[in-house]
Amino acid sequence: MSVLEIRNLHASVEEREILKGVNLTLRSGEIHALMGPNGSGKSTLAYVIAGHPHYTVTEGDILIDGESILEMEPDERTKAGLFLAFQYPVAVPGVSVANFLRTAVSNVRGYTAQQTEAEGRSGVIGSNLMPMREFRKELNEKMKEYNVDPSFARRYLNDGFSGGEKKRTEVLQMAMLEPKFAIMDESDSGLDIDALRVVADGINKLATPERGFLLITHYQRLLNYVKPHYVSIFYDGRVVMTGGPEIAHMLEEKGYGWVEREFGAEAVPA
Amino acid sequence: MSVLVKEPEAIVHAVQGFSADTVRAHSAARNEPAWMLEFRLAAWRQFEAMPWPESTDEAWRRTRLTGFDLNQFTPVANAAGKVEKGELSKLLQAELNEMDSAASMVFEDSGLRNSVFHARLEDHGVIFADLQSAVQQYPDLVRKYFMTEAVKPDLNKFTALHAALWDTGAFVYVPANGRVTLPLQIILNQATAGVGGYHHTLVVTEQGAEVTVVDDLLGAKDGLQASVVELIIGAGSVVRYMNLQDFDHSAWNFLTGRAVLSRDADLRWIQVSWGSRLTKAFLDVDLMGAGGHAELLGIYFPTGDQHIDHQTLQIHRAPHCFSDLLFNGALKDKSRSVYMGVIQVHPGAQKTDAYQRNGNLILDPTARADSIPGLEIEADDVRCTHGATAAQVEEEYVFYLMARGLTRAQAERMIVQGFFQAVLDRVPVESVVHKLERVIERKIGG
Ligand SMILES: Nc1ncnc2c1ncn2[C@@H]1O[C@H](COP(=O)(O)OP(=O)(O)OP(=O)(O)O)[C@@H](O)[C@H]1O
Ligand SMILES: [Mg+2]
């Protein structure tokens, strides 16, 4: 049982405050949906949790099991069990999915440290990776399970992938990295209904009691397939309301205009 | 026939410095026929008549010869004589063992050290000979093609010097419809420091022939190398050529290469420039017949104070030809690269399809890459595109990879390797790909 806690988090980019005191707790086994209008800072929250160097945390803290992760590099956070599925995964030319993922998996699963100790080798590239055969086998199995065509192993990361292919490959990577906490930033956007099902199936398979999910989304659509335990409304850099799945239905009904009227600058405090 | 009046060693040692006498002694030491001596002397006269490149010459504006003095080099190296493969240095043996070749030749300093034939090339009329022997054995062929068609001696100061003093190199001849499936491997190790070397590669293929040739260039500490590559490609013939230059970082390196393509010929030329303190390479593909297909792909990765300059020319003389050029380079420290390229489309070369791209990845703010692409088009129904980029390692790529658990160093390494991948993907010999990957890794590392 693990806990990811976001406490009074303030963050800015280029002197402009985007996150204005976010409070949110995610436990293993929970699926927590975060919904909010465009530009409210959802992706910023995801990036700040993952440690994007562009953003500065000015106040508050992010903790995994009581330990602050703010001082950690992005890769250390991933090793600590975080995973961010990007809203817009970048294409990295010339870097194949299999090649990069083998290094990623080896780091996260600790092959790097183990092998070096066991065999006294150090600094030799390729000497401390997960054995190729083992890795291939697992990758092939997971590609099948998560509906990613085997040819993608050799393709360059997100290079020329369609929107749906990118999102599916993000889910595949999550399945390989087996995080404790996954933040899915609009993994449903831009997908047709079949692709949406594939992505939702993937999330459901991975939604085990040892894993917590933060699902960032605009629509009820994804939540028809993946049942959240909690739904929070995000507005103007903070969580303004948290409840059960009924919140998502209410939002669907009333629209984000209602959020604005209720929680915006002009809103009359109750 | 010239008459050998002294022992070769004695002849070379009797003459010092660059002079017509050096040329004569060099030729006599090889017991060359009179026509070759005449050829060399004529080239020497041209060399003497030509001025040294000036910074006002367009080709040399960005690549200065400051610190270069011909007299700092011993004009020609001695030849050490032939040995068994097992007596070669470990490095050379490893180079030979790595590649699954049809045949190989190893040159050290100015002579052939070792040759191995795995395939029975002569049964098929294929010639793979060291050029010195070819002059004696195949005088008609050599006379016909050697610096007469592709690269003439007076093309530039260094080709003239090369023509006068050429020493090592291979002659490859593949008759009509002959096919050599495994690569022909040529290794030059300029072992002695401070000398001049003049490596020549002459490949002639007849109609429908296929061949892959790899030139591996090593050594040349404090030395000079003025090499020439000539690829004369027959109709419908398929040639894969790799020039892998990994000289010592103190070498002055001048390369002039040109491929001449007949109708429907198909060329892929991989140019790798890892080593040397300074490289100036002129690389031309000349599409003479309709339907020709030429790919010219280059990679370079200067570090320290290295200066690497490639100047390319894609000449479309005939209609319906395709040429694709891609040069990708990464730069570290205070290194410098220059890329200049022109696509030239002659009148009548309609339906030309030509590409030219140069990408530079700047890894340190002190490194600098200049890129000057150009088009000269005299036909109207053509498609030509060119472009140059210079960029740093993309921070968003680094973050993405780190967010998946790669360390910053791993992420950067992978991005740099990925940048070269567009060329590596098109290198047709797997052992060469692995070797290039290792060098890239070494260069990224420090
Ligand atoms: N790197 C950045 N540089 C400048 N401004 C930024 C940067 N990142 C985010 N912002 C700004 O912060 C605000 C919040 O952006 P963010 O992408 O977090 O919103 P979002 O809630 O994810 O929106 P969407 O629903 O459209 O994905 C926006 O006004 C955006 O322009
Ligand atoms: Mg967003």
Side-chain angles (χ1 to χ4, degrees):
Chain A
M1 169 74 183
S2 283
V3 193
L4 171 67
E5 274 177 277
I6 297 154
R7 282 192 201 153
N8 187 31
L9 188 68
H10 291 251
S12 31
V13 62
E14 287 152 14
E15 310 279 294
R16 187 179 142 211
E17 185 163 69
I18 313 275
L19 301 185
K20 303 172 180 173
V22 181
N23 286 292
L24 196 144
T25 301
L26 182 66
R27 293 182 182 78
S28 314
E30 287 179 2
I31 298 178
H32 194 137
L34 191 68
M35 306 181 76
N38 291 129
S40 56
K42 304 179 299 297
S43 293
T44 301
L45 175 64
Y47 276 140
V48 170
I49 297 172
H52 195 296
H54 215 89
Y55 303 89
T56 319
V57 173
T58 51
E59 213 185 316
D61 210 346
I62 307 170
L63 310 109
I64 293 181
D65 297 333
E67 299 272 339
S68 174
I69 61 166
L70 283 185
E71 295 301 314
M72 292 184 179
E73 290 291 315
D75 59 311
E76 295 169 327
R77 299 181 192 206
T78 304
K79 280 165 214 161
L82 272 179
F83 180 88
L84 167 61
F86 285 64
Q87 181 175 5
Y88 304 111
V90 292
V92 190
V95 174
S96 79
V97 170
N99 186 18
F100 124 85
L101 205 48
R102 183 168 168 226
T103 310
V105 169
S106 302
N107 282 359
V108 169
R109 296 193 193 168
Y111 277 89
T112 323
Q114 273 175 26
Q115 288 280 92
T116 315
E117 265 171 48
E119 301 177 31
R121 287 191 247 170
S122 60
V124 183
I125 306 300
S127 67
N128 41 23
L129 294 177
M130 179 174 177
M132 186 55 117
R133 197 182 292 261
E134 232 173 275
F135 171 77
R136 282 270 171 211
K137 187 165 172 280
E138 183 176 333
L139 182 63
N140 282 337
E141 283 166 8
K142 291 204 165 142
M143 289 184 113
K144 196 176 273 175
E145 192 174 352
Y146 294 93
N147 260 291
V148 176
D149 192 88
S151 66
F152 277 67
R154 294 181 57 195
R155 286 185 59 178
Y156 299 139
L157 201 47
N158 300 317
D159 201 9
F161 289 19
S162 74
E165 289 164 348
K166 282 184 192 164
K167 302 277 157 107
R168 285 206 304 238
T169 311
E170 293 286 285
V171 174
L172 171 74
Q173 292 183 45
M174 172 169 62
M176 291 295 290
L177 292 168
E178 301 170 322
K180 280 196 237 171
F181 296 103
I183 299 153
M184 315 292 291
D185 191 1
E186 303 207 17
S187 297
D188 54 338
S189 67
L191 301 186
D192 64 27
I193 193 72
D194 293 333
L196 179 66
R197 266 207 198 100
V198 169
V199 167
D201 281 354
I203 294 172
N204 282 329
K205 272 183 197 157
L206 290 164
T208 57
E210 311 79 65
R211 188 165 292 131
F213 274 91
L214 186 64
L215 299 184
I216 298 173
T217 180
H218 281 287
Y219 311 105
Q220 170 62 34
R221 214 164 71 124
L222 177 68
L223 305 182
N224 291 335
Y225 297 96
V226 181
K227 295 287 171 228
H229 303 98
Y230 301 100
V231 176
S232 287
I233 298 177
F234 202 80
Y235 182 75
D236 192 23
R238 51 174 95 75
V239 174
V240 292
M241 190 180 206
T242 300
E246 74 284 353
I247 300 260
H249 290 290
M250 185 185 75
L251 265 184
E252 187 92 328
E253 230 166 79
K254 298 189 175 172
Y256 285 114
W258 172 80
V259 177
E260 170 124 34
R261 285 192 299 278
E262 198 75 2
F263 303 101
E266 267 92 75
V268 186
Chain B
M1 270 312 258
S2 63
V3 182
L4 200 59
V5 289
K6 287 188 199 166
E7 286 302 309
E9 293 285 297
I11 296 172
V12 177
H13 283 284
V15 185
Q16 277 170 12
F18 288 82
S19 67
D21 283 343
T22 302
V23 175
R24 276 194 200 90
H26 183 57
S27 180
R30 280 153 183 78
N31 201 15
E32 286 178 348
W35 65 266
M36 184 51 87
L37 174 61
E38 284 313 314
F39 176 92
R40 287 182 184 276
L41 288 170
W44 176 257
R45 285 189 293 274
Q46 282 168 331
F47 171 77
E48 283 196 310
M50 289 165 96
W52 283 101
E54 298 263 358
S55 57
T56 46
D57 302 345
E58 183 56 26
W60 296 89
R61 264 182 57 193
R62 294 164 189 85
T63 297
R64 308 267 168 97
L65 294 178
T66 316
F68 177 83
D69 174 10
L70 195 61
N71 293 313
Q72 76 198 70
F73 309 105
T74 306
V76 280
N78 294 323
K82 284 189 84 168
V83 294
E84 291 301 313
K85 185 178 156 192
E87 291 167 68
L88 293 168
S89 72
K90 287 263 178 332
L91 173 77
L92 294 177
Q93 289 189 50
E95 294 272 334
L96 286 172
N97 291 338
E98 264 165 35
M99 192 180 296
D100 198 6
S101 67
S104 62
M105 273 193 253
V106 177
F107 296 92
E108 280 198 285
D109 289 329
S110 70
L112 180 68
R113 288 287 267 166
N114 178 266
S115 59
V116 179
F117 285 78
H118 301 292
R120 300 179 63 87
L121 299 174
E122 69 278 22
D123 292 359
H124 304 279
V126 175
I127 299 170
F128 179 55
D130 80 280
L131 202 48
Q132 295 286 354
S133 316
V135 168
Q136 314 278 352
Q137 286 171 26
Y138 312 101
D140 295 345
L141 280 173
V142 175
R143 246 184 132 155
K144 181 169 174 200
Y145 293 110
F146 181 77
M147 300 196 85
T148 57
E149 200 167 315
V151 178
K152 296 198 175 108
D154 63 353
L155 199 60
N156 62 52
K157 184 88 172 166
F158 292 98
T159 53
L161 180 67
H162 173 97
L165 289 170
W166 70 269
D167 51 7
T168 61
F171 174 50
V172 176
Y173 176 82
V174 188
N177 301 316
R179 282 192 185 164
V180 189
T181 43
L182 291 174
L184 299 172
Q185 185 182 20
I186 304 150
I187 300 176
L188 165 67
N189 178 30
Q190 219 175 307
T192 305
V195 299
Y198 318 87
H199 187 68
H200 197 98
T201 305
L202 175 59
V203 177
V204 180
T205 63
E206 302 284 4
Q207 179 153 3
E210 290 185 23
V211 71
T212 299
V213 178
V214 182
D215 254 317
D216 223 332
L217 310 169
L218 305 164
K221 185 170 167 32
D222 299 323
L224 157 71
Q225 174 60 239
S227 61
V228 167
V229 174
E230 301 185 280
L231 311 178
I232 298 157
I233 309 174
S237 165
V238 180
V239 172
R240 302 286 175 254
Y241 175 67
M242 279 149 270
N243 186 285
L244 316 177
Q245 184 270 106
D246 198 5
F247 284 133
D248 190 272
H249 287 202
S250 58
W252 296 86
N253 178 45
F254 306 94
L255 160 64
T256 303
R258 178 176 280 204
V260 180
L261 286 83
S262 299
R263 183 175 47 79
D264 296 324
D266 180 341
L267 165 71
R268 189 181 298 171
W269 179 324
I270 311 279
Q271 181 61 45
V272 175
S273 299
W274 294 146
S276 81
R277 66 182 284 172
L278 178 141
T279 283
K280 174 77 197 184
F282 296 93
L283 304 168
D284 306 346
V285 292
D286 192 346
L287 293 144
M288 312 259 290
H293 177 117
E295 296 170 52
L296 186 48
L297 310 167
I299 48 180
Y300 49 95
F301 194 161
T303 61
D305 288 320
Q306 284 185 281
H307 181 115
I308 304 291
D309 177 336
H310 294 102
Q311 183 168 345
T312 67
L313 186 56
Q314 293 154 266
I315 311 168
H316 284 255
R317 292 183 206 271
H320 295 283
C321 287
F322 170 85
S323 73
D324 183 15
L325 178 143
L326 173 63
F327 270 66
N328 274 355
L331 296 97
K332 263 175 61 165
D333 308 323
K334 283 163 70 185
S335 69
R336 178 97 198 264
S337 76
V338 179
Y339 172 77
M340 294 171 72
V342 171
I343 300 176
Q344 207 175 70
V345 183
H346 287 217
Q350 302 298 4
K351 303 285 179 198
T352 285
D353 199 0
Y355 299 84
Q356 183 197 84
R357 277 166 299 157
N358 173 228
N360 291 290
L361 192 58
I362 318 285
L363 302 178
D364 288 307
T366 43
R368 181 172 152 193
D370 287 340
S371 195
I372 306 103
L375 298 173
E376 295 169 11
I377 300 177
E378 295 178 68
D380 46 30
D381 187 9
V382 302
R383 188 167 75 175
C384 294
T385 61
H386 66 170
T389 55
Q392 280 131 316
V393 169
E394 193 68 64
E395 270 305 314
E396 287 306 316
Y397 298 175
V398 175
F399 175 65
Y400 184 89
L401 298 179
M402 286 181 80
R404 296 294 141 89
L406 270 65
T407 62
R408 173 167 287 274
Q410 286 173 329
E412 286 174 351
R413 179 179 295 265
M414 222 164 244
I415 291 162
V416 176
Q417 275 167 340
F419 170 75
F420 285 110
Q421 202 60 42
V423 173
L424 294 185
D425 278 345
R426 292 159 77 180
V427 173
V429 178
E430 206 174 311
S431 64
V432 172
V433 177
H434 293 319
K435 179 171 140 139
L436 299 179
E437 283 171 345
R438 284 200 303 277
V439 177
I440 292 168
E441 201 152 295
R442 185 187 84 205
K443 290 225 173 209
I444 296 170

